[in-house]
Amino acid sequence: MKFAHWVPNVSGGLVVSKAPQRTDWSLDYNIELAKIAEAVGFEYALTQVRFMGSYGAEYQHDSVMFSAALLANTDRLNVITGILPGLCHPGVVAKQGATADQIFNGRWSINVASGWFRAEYDALGVQWLEHDERYVRSREFIDILRGAWSEDDFCYDGKYWKINGYNLKPKPLRLPGRPMPEIFQGGNSLAAQSMAAAVSDYYLMNGNSLDAHKEQIDAVRKLAAAQGRRVKFGANAFVIARENEDEAWDELRRIVGFADDVAVRGFKAAVKEAGQSTKDKKGMWVDSSEKDLVQYNDGFRTGLIGTPEQVATKIHDLKKIGVDLVLCAFLHFHEETRYFGERVIPLVRELELADPVRELRAA
C-alpha cells in the first residue's frame, strides 16, 4: 500500500468546518508538511486546483507553482499537480510537466480533474460542458499529454483540441517501469470509469464503503482488461487516528458539530453538476449526506477512524479489495501526518507481511 497526503494549499484545511485546527495554507507550513510526510513513509502529495473560493476555501495558491515549490524542498516525495482541462491547455501543461519531471528527477505527476465547480468556468468565460462531455475533454487532454511526451512532431485531431506538429523537448525522464509521469484522475461515474480504463494510471475514488469501492474497482478492471491495460486505485480517506477509540469518534463529532452550514449547503448545490447531473445519477456525491460533505471528498465514509491498530486493519482491508493507495486528509496535518507515519504505517507493513495480498493484473 502506498500513501499520499492532500496538500492544504487552500484556506480552511480539508474540512468545511469551523472546528479549531492548526493546519495552514501557507507555503512554509506546506514545505514542513512535505518534509514530515517524506520522512515518515508517504510516497505522494496531491496539490488542490482551485481558481476561486468555494465551500469556505476563500484563498487558494496555484497548484503548478505550489507543486514546484514543494518539489524543490524535498528529495523523494512525488508531487501530483491538480489540473483542470478547459482552463488549462494540454500542450502547455505537457511542457510544464516535462520541465518539472526533468529538474526534479522524475518526481512529478498530474491529477486531471474534470471539474465540478461551474462558477470558475463562468467567471473566466470558458464554456461549461455537460458531465460526460467533460470526461471526453479530459480524455483528449491525457491523449495529448501522452503523445507530446512520447512523439516528435506530434499531431492530434480531437473534438476539443487540434495539435499540429508539436515538438516537445526535452521530454520527461524515462525511468525503469515508468516511461512517463503518472497520470491520476478522480471521479465515480461511468464516464470517469471508462476514461480511467482507457488512459489513466490511477483512478482516485471518493470515500466510500468497502463494497462500494470494490464495485468500482471491479468495473474499471474489467474495462481496462478489455483494452490490455491495468489501472491502479486510490481511495480518499479523512483519517482520525487516536490512542483511544472514543477520542477518535469524539473528534469526528466535534468536526461535524462545528460544520460551516452555509458553506456546506453551497457545496451541496455546486456538486449537483457532478454525479447528480448524469443520466443514470451515478457518480461523485450522488448519495452524500450533509455530514459526509463536511469533508469534501466524502473522506469520513472510508472509516479510517479509531486506534492505530483499527485504522491499519481497515487499510489492509482496502488493499485486499484492490486499493493501491490511500489519499489521506487530516485535521491537524503536521502532527497527524507524523503520528500516522510513526504509528499506523508500520502496523500496515506488519499486516502485509503476515497476510500477503496477491497482486491482481489485467488479463
Side-chain angles (χ1 to χ4, degrees), residues 15-18 54-57 116 255-272 285 288-296 298 300:
V15 288
V16 192
S17 174
K18 297 177 181 178
S54 58
Y55 54 83
W116 56 267
I255 294 168
V256 174
F258 278 96
D260 184 337
D261 293 332
V262 173
V264 170
R265 286 195 294 271
F267 180 44
K268 185 176 183 179
V271 298
K272 289 180 180 178
W285 302 298
S288 302
S289 68
E290 289 199 2
K291 173 186 173 182
D292 296 329
L293 295 176
V294 175
Q295 205 294 306
Y296 44 80
D298 282 343
F300 300 149

Side-chain angles (χ1 to χ4, degrees), residues 13 18 77 93 114 158 190 245 256 262 267 273 299 307 313 325 351:
K18 297 177 181 178
L77 196 68
V93 174
S114 295
L190 297 181
E245 181 181 5
V256 174
V262 173
F267 180 44
E273 295 284 357
T307 66
T313 298
L325 175 146
L351 289 169

Side-chain angles (χ1 to χ4, degrees), residues 2 5 40 65 68 86 108 132 148 174 225 227 236 273 279 292 305 312 314-315 320 343 363:
K2 295 186 181 299
H5 75 84
V40 299
M65 296 291 289
W108 182 85
D132 286 8
R174 293 185 64 87
Q227 300 174 68
N236 270 287
E273 295 284 357
K279 293 178 181 179
D292 296 329
I305 300 165
K314 292 174 183 177
I315 290 170
K320 288 178 180 179
R343 294 285 283 110

Side-chain angles (χ1 to χ4, degrees), residues 4-10 13-14 23-26 30-31 33-34 44-49 63 66-67 70 77-80 296 327-329 333:
H5 75 84
W6 279 101
V7 174
N9 58 303
V10 305
L14 269 290
T23 293
D24 187 77
W25 62 291
S26 69
N30 275 282
I31 287 173
L33 171 59
Y44 296 91
L46 173 58
T47 57
Q48 301 176 70
V49 55
S63 59
F66 215 76
S67 295
L70 297 181
L77 196 68
N78 186 301
V79 179
I80 311 164
Y296 44 80
L327 177 54
C328 301
F333 265 84

